[in-house]
Amino acid sequence: MDEDFNPKTPDREGVRYLSYGASVDPPLWSAFYQSHRILKREEGPNDGLVSVESSKWGDYKGTLVNVSHLDLINWTNRLRWLVWEMTGNKRNFNAIAFYLDIGDMLAKEGL
């Protein structure tokens, strides 16, 4: 990325760039277990598909902890959450609320 994509894709003047990262330690049965292991070895903490380090662009707002790539795109297994909630557990991340908060933050900044 640093040697090929980034030099060919410069920031555009007048555009404000904000970014977030995410990290998770997936269980053995996760679809992201192997990719997470490889990324962790090569680039450190990651969400199963994207490393925290490579997610940093522009104004880095922070790292979401215990959040997977599927959580970020709101594609978490609904059955898993239903079972969790039935057993008294609570979600640790709500993608819709997260993106609404970002929209609210941008609106308050006049963007």
Side-chain angles (χ1 to χ4, degrees):
M1 293 295 275
D2 288 336
E3 297 164 10
D4 191 40
F5 179 80
N6 292 348
K8 292 178 183 174
T9 314
D11 289 349
R12 186 174 180 130
E13 190 174 324
V15 174
R16 184 171 170 206
Y17 294 88
L18 306 166
S19 61
Y20 289 85
S23 69
V24 70
D25 285 317
L28 284 170
W29 60 85
S30 169
F32 290 135
Y33 183 77
Q34 290 299 329
S35 60
H36 177 273
R37 219 178 94 238
I38 294 165
L39 270 171
K40 188 171 185 174
R41 182 181 65 232
E42 298 296 321
E43 297 185 27
N46 65 84
D47 67 4
L49 285 181
V50 179
S51 72
V52 169
E53 195 56 39
S54 68
S55 68
K56 294 179 180 179
W57 197 267
D59 181 9
Y60 187 69
K61 304 305 268 181
T63 303
L64 305 166
V65 179
N66 293 324
V67 176
S68 74
H69 198 80
L70 289 180
D71 294 330
L72 282 173
I73 64 170
N74 200 35
W75 204 21
T76 305
N77 185 326
R78 306 266 186 251
L79 180 59
R80 181 181 90 176
W81 287 121
L82 177 63
V83 171
W84 265 65
E85 289 171 355
M86 289 174 57
T87 58
N89 294 295
K90 297 195 186 226
R91 291 185 195 206
N92 63 343
F93 180 75
N94 181 328
I96 295 170
F98 174 69
Y99 291 113
L100 287 172
D101 284 346
I102 291 173
D104 186 53
M105 173 195 69
L106 295 173
K108 286 177 180 173
E109 292 182 15
L111 299 175

